[in-house]
């Protein structure tokens, strides 16, 4: 169990709450789908590319990686599939509310973050994974703006928070704290709205292919 725990830490993706019910197939062509999410197919090539990226990460950090064909390797495949399912679910749901990302936007994001590339690794697997990650980030950011556009904090909410937490503020006047309280409440409400949206999206289970 130690080895798979190490791999899980390398994966480090926020896919909690994603129900992966699709079975990862061990045979078939590379472009054969291993799961379908909201009408979008995830192919074996995509799955293997993601697993290979995790292997490269483990190698780069000097950590062990399970051998193909083992139970632990299958666990890694399921983690990778979970990530792909999550990304596909978010992208499909984002498109329904008008959030789309172009290749040009992805290129701009990658260029902006070029100083943070993975140790200068320019392998096909690393590049493909970085592009997919950049696309997912841009989509998530676009969804966040859409979902939270109507979230408000009224003056009365700020005053009520100050009153209810007066013991924390000591003698600091309300006027000095009001902007910070409003910012805190707004951030919390926007994050909650996004969390509700993601929870709804992640209830859509992938189908087995």
């Amino acid at each position: 169990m130690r080895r798979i725990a190490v791999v899980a830490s390398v994966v480090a993706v926020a896919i909690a709450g994603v129900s992966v019910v699709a079975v990862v197939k061990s045979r078939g062509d590379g472009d054969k789908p291993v799961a379908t999410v909201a009408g979008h197919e995830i192919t074996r090539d995509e799955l293997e590319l993601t697993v290979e990226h995790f292997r490269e990460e483990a190698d780069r950090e000097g950590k062990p990686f399970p051998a193909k064909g083992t139970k632990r390797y299958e666990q890694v495949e399921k983690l990778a599939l979970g990530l792909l399912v999550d990304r596909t679910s978010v992208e499909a749901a984002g498109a329904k509310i008008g959030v789309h990302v172009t290749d040009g936007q992805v290129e701009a994001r990658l260029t902006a973050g070029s100083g943070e590339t993975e140790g200068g690794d320019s392998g096909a697997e690393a590049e493909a994974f970085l592009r997919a990650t950049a696309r997912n980030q841009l989509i998530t950011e676009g969804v966040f703006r859409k979902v939270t556009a109507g979230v408000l904090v009224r003056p009365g909410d700020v005053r009520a928070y100050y009153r209810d937490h007066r013991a924390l503020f000591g003698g600091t006047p309300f006027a000095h704290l009001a902007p910070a309280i409003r910012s805190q409440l707004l951030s919390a409400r926007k994050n909650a709205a996004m969390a509700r949206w993601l929870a709804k999206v992640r209830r859509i289970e992938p189908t087995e292919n």
Side-chain angles (χ1 to χ4, degrees):
M1 292 302 294
R2 171 176 168 74
R3 294 182 72 187
I4 191 61
V6 169
V7 173
S9 69
V10 171
V11 176
V13 291
I15 57 173
V18 179
S19 176
V20 181
V21 298
V23 176
V24 180
K25 300 296 186 181
S26 59
R27 65 183 189 280
D29 297 330
D31 61 352
K32 182 176 180 180
V34 293
T36 301
V37 184
H40 296 258
E41 293 181 342
I42 297 172
T43 67
R44 170 153 291 283
D45 276 344
E46 291 177 286
L47 178 60
E48 291 182 350
L49 194 68
T50 303
V51 172
E52 182 59 29
H53 174 78
F54 296 160
R55 182 194 300 278
E56 290 178 353
E57 282 288 291
D59 289 345
R60 193 161 22 248
E61 296 178 14
K63 296 176 180 177
F65 196 88
K68 193 169 185 177
T70 64
K71 289 290 185 181
R72 289 169 179 168
Y73 186 89
E74 290 176 4
Q75 288 179 282
V76 176
E77 280 194 316
K78 289 180 180 179
L79 285 172
L81 181 58
L83 171 60
L84 292 171
V85 165
D86 193 60
R87 287 180 170 178
T88 304
S89 298
V90 170
E91 182 166 359
K96 290 182 178 179
I97 61 173
V99 177
H100 303 279
V101 171
T102 67
D103 290 341
Q105 289 173 306
V106 173
E107 288 295 337
R109 173 59 60 90
L110 290 173
T111 300
S114 59
E116 301 175 5
T117 55
E118 301 179 357
D121 189 347
S122 57
E125 291 81 7
E127 183 177 350
F129 190 86
L130 285 174
R131 291 184 66 84
T133 299
R135 180 176 296 278
N136 182 256
Q137 288 173 345
L138 288 165
I139 291 171
T140 302
E141 290 166 9
V143 167
F144 185 86
R145 289 191 293 271
K146 281 263 188 178
V147 170
T148 65
V151 176
L152 301 172
V153 173
R154 297 178 174 80
D157 298 330
V158 179
R159 174 69 71 174
Y161 186 91
Y162 177 80
R163 183 178 61 250
D164 294 343
H165 299 82
R166 190 65 180 269
L168 298 175
F169 304 133
T172 306
F174 171 74
H176 291 179
L177 295 169
I181 293 174
R182 180 186 179 282
S183 178
Q184 177 180 329
L185 290 176
L186 185 61
S187 178
R189 291 181 183 184
K190 285 187 173 185
N191 288 337
M194 185 65 179
R196 288 192 296 271
W197 186 88
L198 285 172
K200 182 178 179 181
V201 167
R202 287 166 176 164
R203 283 198 294 269
I204 302 174
E205 294 184 342
T207 57
E208 177 185 342
N209 291 101

